[in-house]
Amino acid sequence: MSDTALLPQGTAPIKKQYLLANTPAPIPDDDAAEGSTSHFIGKAGDANNVDDARNESSGPRRKKWSKEERKNKRGANKGRRFQKVRDELELCWKVAVGKPCEFGSECRNTHDIKAYLAAKPKDIRFPASDTLSSSPPFVNNSGQDDPMSGDDPASIDWSVKCPVYETIGECKHGLKCRFLGGHARKENGEIILTADDTKKATTAIAETEVNFVGPDTLKLIRSKKFPHPKADAYLKELEAQNENGKGKDSQTTTTELVVIAEPEPDAADHQISAQTTVTPAEKTEELSQVDTPDVPTRFTEKKRLDWKGKTYLAPLTTVGNLPFRRLCVDYGADITCGEMGLANSFLQGSKEEWSLVRRHPSERIFGVQLAGNKPSLLVPAAETIGTICEGNLDFVDINCGCPIDLVYKQGSGSALLDAANKLGKIIVGMNRALGDVPVTVKLRTGVKEGRNTAHKLMPRLGPEWGAAALTLHGRTRQQRYTKLADWDYIQQCVQAAREREAEEDLPPVPIFGGGDVYSSQDYWEKLDSSGVDGIMIGRGALIKPWIFTEIKEHREWDISSRERLDLLRKYAEYGLNHFGSDTPGVNTTRRYLCEAMSFQYRYVPIGLLEVLPGRLNDRPPPFQGRDELETLLASPDSRDWVKVSELFLGPAPESWTFTPKHKSNAYGAEESQG
Ligand SMILES: Cc1cc2nc3c(=O)[nH]c(=O)nc-3n(C[C@H](O)[C@H](O)[C@H](O)COP(=O)(O)O)c2cc1C
């Protein structure tokens, strides 16, 4: 009998030679990197509470937690605060890029370049892939010593390369860039910024993020002046129908009115608006809150989603940010979806919410996910997103799975599973508002444990309301991550949806399942046995972003520690390109890199396992890796994650703190997620 056979069930079967027998597991110290004044930012009930991370740029706001709020934060680390790290001396950004500043001497930031560069910390060396190694110090930077070191100003290292400049041929942070030596030269005592025009021209399309929402647009949205005529017309239609006395008992079945792929004349909307008197906003609100009867469905010409055989990276709040999605695309993810955004916050013009629609051009099939509790929020939010992101949006997903109390109690997320008629109106309205952009739905199996309901809801979503794709996470809201996803039930739901489509002679919509998939073998077995068109991958991708390669190549990849370090290097590079290469950008990148490592350290290298494939929920006993780097990358200590970040991003400033989103020692502490 092997040693591991004696270990309790659910223990990862690590080969004897790697086990640190009788050595207690290191106690994860998630507070190590946290400053003494950590407090949660954001108001209770505030939409942005869902992801405090997005408030990074806001000032600290202290608040007392009610008992209920404390419960809601269970499993997550309380007291997370991420303040923007700034330069000691702030240089005016216009001066930083060589432009005149209209405020002149009145500008609140310095224009004294010499003083700024004298106070600035030394440039950071971003390591090239071929300088990484699996033994300490893990990056070999020798031979790159700055020939002019000691030169004036001492902060510039002329031998560094700026990861942003190297990608796009220019760096918009100019003198503020922490890799300044990569795009500057000294001429007659002056620092001159350089640009690579050829690179700029060749990378313009492949590297420029899209769906950037500027301050003028946000202002329009905030002042309620951004038009959403289709949503307005639809909401009036709902209201008129309600006034016509159709109550809950006189529901209109919509099936006979379904016309798939028949273009809806725009005139119809105008007609409706002309005929109906203006509705007071309050009234619409009131109407849309009740689970009112169905309205006739008229589908616009929609793009059909051909997702069969494609890999799908799940939407992941905070950790599923744009640099992470890019990384997963590199490893083979075909479909990506932004982090859950709240319809309400979109309509309030929240900068943080609108940052969630950003897309990198490498994301081939990209969607935005919305959460909300009524048509009067979700439909105008969808139309606004559709208008702003026109041409750069492949689908909009409705979140019907988020379990957190703050969302659920407002009737959003998984609460919509129990409000079928309202959900129907939301889907129909969003479909109209979005024109040819398809609407998809992500759901859980039900709300209460032991009371699955998705098999009743799923057959209605496509045929009755026009959902273009469905993803089913095989757990109830109550179940969360404590038990395995129910793949037998996923199969039942697929069958129920397919039967309805067959009865009505409708083409099948893509159905994706999700839950616990962690290896290529598991992926293909579950795909075959459940009948889904594909599987959405969440934690599997967070712990091992290369899972998409494994799936596509039908193999389990014993990835080396050096390759994993290179993956983190790539993530840092993408982070700097997205968040910026100035001091705040570097430290935001560092923060998200640590956030990513708070999942990636959980990977147990498969070369260390006695039995393959590895399983997501298996807990490893303390082990050592095959080399020092492998051991380091398995460390649950957040101070080690910061150390790894320093290989790419230089020393973390003293003022910089980090507390992971989830308690790192709490496997299955993802309860507070969707
Ligand atoms: C950290 C984290 C963040 C998540 N954020 C979201 C989200 O924003 N929207 C959503 O629909 N689901 C979210 N989920 C749920 C996942 O999309 C997925 O459905 C779930 O993790 C089950 O898949 P898995 O077992 O492969 O992880 C999140 C899950 C985790 C662990």
Side-chain angles (χ1 to χ4, degrees):
M1 189 191 280
S2 76
D3 283 16
T4 46
L6 301 170
L7 295 166
Q9 227 196 351
T11 307
I14 293 182
K15 288 177 188 163
K16 196 176 165 189
Q17 63 267 38
Y18 302 112
L19 275 177
L20 297 174
N22 304 323
T23 311
I27 299 163
D29 183 3
D30 293 332
D31 294 323
E34 190 180 359
S36 56
T37 54
S38 292
H39 279 270
F40 185 78
I41 299 166
K43 302 181 292 238
D46 179 338
N48 294 328
N49 257 359
V50 169
D51 181 13
D52 45 314
R54 285 182 222 149
N55 290 319
E56 198 149 325
S57 53
S58 344
R61 239 188 286 161
R62 288 157 190 265
K63 79 176 288 291
K64 261 193 167 171
W65 288 91
S66 70
K67 204 171 154 194
E68 178 146 15
E69 284 163 348
R70 278 200 298 273
K71 192 177 131 233
N72 289 339
K73 292 288 287 176
R74 190 182 42 184
N77 256 318
K78 303 151 189 115
R80 276 157 57 86
R81 186 180 73 180
F82 298 101
Q83 262 192 284
K84 210 167 178 172
V85 180
R86 298 180 187 281
D87 283 324
E88 208 173 293
L89 189 62
E90 280 272 24
L91 180 69
C92 163
W93 73 265
K94 284 217 161 157
V95 170
V97 293
K99 287 187 181 158
C101 168
E102 63 271 33
F103 297 109
S105 57
E106 301 293 301
C107 181
R108 60 192 167 110
N109 295 319
T110 187
H111 287 185
D112 185 343
I113 294 175
K114 225 176 161 180
Y116 170 75
L117 291 176
K120 199 179 175 214
K122 185 99 180 157
D123 276 354
I124 301 164
R125 285 200 181 168
F126 193 78
S129 176
D130 60 7
T131 62
L132 305 183
S133 120
S134 57
S135 43
F138 308 117
V139 172
N140 176 12
N141 263 330
S142 65
Q144 289 186 25
D145 276 343
D146 176 3
M148 295 172 78
S149 101
D151 196 12
D152 180 34
S155 60
I156 304 185
D157 179 342
W158 305 99
S159 69
V160 302
K161 286 193 187 314
C162 167
V164 178
Y165 184 85
E166 291 300 309
T167 312
I168 58 171
E170 69 178 334
C171 176
K172 69 172 190 232
H173 293 291
L175 298 171
K176 282 169 167 275
C177 175
R178 293 298 319 280
F179 309 84
L180 176 56
H183 45 80
R185 63 172 198 276
K186 208 168 169 185
E187 232 175 68
N188 304 326
E190 294 273 300
I191 307 297
I192 311 287
L193 294 169
T194 56
D196 179 342
D197 291 332
T198 318
K199 192 167 252 174
K200 260 169 78 175
T202 50
T203 58
I205 293 175
E207 291 298 339
T208 310
E209 290 177 12
V210 294
N211 298 339
F212 180 80
V213 187
D216 292 345
T217 309
L218 289 179
K219 214 164 142 188
L220 265 186
I221 298 171
R222 281 181 203 137
S223 59
K224 313 277 173 241
K225 289 191 183 129
F226 196 98
H228 32 69
K230 289 182 185 168
D232 294 344
Y234 178 72
L235 294 173
K236 279 176 195 161
E237 200 177 320
L238 277 187
E239 188 198 356
Q241 190 193 49
N242 207 54
E243 278 170 0
N244 284 344
K246 287 188 193 162
K248 271 185 192 278
D249 297 329
S250 60
Q251 292 185 8
T252 320
T253 55
T254 57
T255 31
E256 71 273 22
L257 296 159
V258 171
V259 184
I260 296 228
E262 185 167 293
E264 179 190 7
D266 272 348
D269 280 342
H270 296 301
Q271 229 176 347
I272 293 160
S273 1
Q275 282 167 0
T276 322
T277 49
V278 179
T279 324
E282 299 78 20
K283 187 127 198 210
T284 311
E285 291 288 296
E286 192 187 306
L287 276 168
S288 50
Q289 284 196 42
V290 289
D291 200 5
T292 45
D294 295 342
V295 290
T297 310
R298 288 168 303 158
F299 294 141
T300 51
E301 180 86 63
K302 290 277 169 190
K303 285 180 202 154
R304 272 205 211 300
L305 295 173
D306 177 19
W307 283 3
K308 202 172 173 68
K310 296 209 162 41
T311 51
Y312 192 162
L313 169 68
L316 299 159
T317 298
T318 311
V319 276
N321 47 57
L322 183 145
F324 182 74
R325 299 197 304 269
R326 267 187 88 175
L327 194 71
C328 291
V329 167
D330 285 354
Y331 283 99
D334 298 312
I335 308 167
T336 51
C337 184
E339 304 160 51
M340 177 181 81
L342 301 169
N344 201 15
S345 302
F346 276 112
L347 291 174
Q348 284 166 1
S350 149
K351 193 175 160 197
E352 289 75 25
E353 227 65 13
W354 280 98
S355 73
L356 302 180
V357 305
R358 295 267 281 278
R359 171 192 199 163
H360 189 266
S362 64
E363 297 184 84
R364 290 177 295 273
I365 304 175
F366 170 76
V368 166
Q369 191 187 58
L370 271 179
N373 59 1
K374 48 194 169 190
S376 63
L377 290 177
L378 281 157
V379 179
E383 185 169 356
T384 311
I385 291 169
T387 308
I388 289 174
C389 305
E390 197 181 350
N392 288 315
L393 185 65
D394 297 307
F395 63 97
V396 174
D397 189 60
I398 305 173
N399 182 312
C400 298
C402 183
I404 68 172
D405 283 355
L406 282 173
V407 172
Y408 176 79
K409 285 188 177 163
Q410 285 174 5
S412 308
S414 52
L416 287 174
L417 297 172
D418 284 342
N421 286 330
K422 183 162 75 174
L423 177 60
K425 283 181 196 59
I426 290 168
I427 302 171
V428 170
M430 283 174 61
N431 256 327
R432 278 214 215 158
L434 281 162
D436 65 354
V437 175
V439 175
T440 64
V441 181
K442 178 167 184 276
L443 41 150
R444 283 182 176 247
T445 57
V447 172
K448 291 232 160 67
E449 190 52 4
R451 283 196 22 216
N452 284 331
T453 51
H455 63 288
K456 291 189 217 146
L457 186 58
M458 277 178 57
R460 304 182 68 186
L461 296 173
E464 292 184 31
W465 304 313
L470 317 176
T471 42
L472 175 61
H473 173 194
R475 290 183 175 83
T476 58
R477 168 180 187 255
Q478 210 171 30
Q479 181 184 343
R480 302 191 175 182
Y481 290 89
T482 48
K483 277 196 255 157
L484 292 180
D486 187 346
W487 279 88
D488 288 338
Y489 183 64
I490 292 178
Q491 186 208 4
Q492 266 183 50
C493 293
V494 174
Q495 219 171 344
R498 294 298 178 231
E499 276 166 16
R500 172 86 190 260
E501 286 165 345
E503 271 165 28
E504 301 190 13
D505 206 15
L506 294 169
V509 298
I511 302 180
F512 275 58
D516 309 323
V517 169
Y518 191 61
S519 67
S520 174
Q521 183 183 322
D522 200 21
Y523 185 95
W524 293 109
E525 279 174 8
K526 291 214 160 78
L527 190 111
D528 282 348
S529 62
S530 65
V532 293
D533 294 298
I535 296 174
M536 175 184 262
I537 310 283
R539 291 163 303 154
L542 289 174
I543 298 171
K544 38 185 276 195
W546 57 91
I547 191 172
F548 299 103
T549 310
E550 295 187 304
I551 292 164
K552 288 201 158 160
E553 296 180 4
H554 291 258
R555 66 173 173 120
E556 313 301 330
W557 181 1
D558 185 12
I559 188 170
S560 71
S561 59
R562 213 205 69 85
E563 286 169 314
R564 286 168 66 200
L565 190 64
D566 201 21
L567 179 153
L568 290 164
R569 190 195 72 89
K570 196 117 205 116
Y571 183 83
E573 182 188 319
Y574 292 165
L576 293 167
N577 272 281
H578 180 66
F579 298 115
S581 59
D582 56 348
T583 296
V586 165
N587 290 297
T588 302
T589 301
R590 187 192 309 283
R591 182 255 154 130
Y592 284 104
L593 186 74
C594 288
E595 209 77 78
M597 287 196 70
S598 78
F599 281 94
Q600 290 185 30
Y601 89 89
R602 285 162 57 174
Y603 175 66
V604 181
I606 60 171
L608 271 55
L609 291 177
E610 271 183 351
V611 187
L612 295 188
R615 288 187 311 194
L616 180 62
N617 299 307
D618 279 358
R619 302 179 63 151
F623 67 93
Q624 62 185 11
R626 288 165 289 188
D627 51 51
E628 282 193 54
L629 180 59
E630 200 161 67
T631 305
L632 175 69
L633 294 180
S635 169
D637 188 337
S638 57
R639 286 170 298 194
D640 284 328
W641 312 336
V642 178
K643 257 189 234 162
V644 172
S645 83
E646 292 181 333
L647 299 176
F648 312 116
L649 304 170
E654 264 173 39
S655 60
W656 189 82
T657 60
F658 175 74
T659 309
K661 186 179 170 85
H662 304 102
K663 285 177 182 162
S664 64
N665 57 343
Y667 284 83
E670 292 90 353
E671 281 101 313
S672 57
Q673 300 308 322

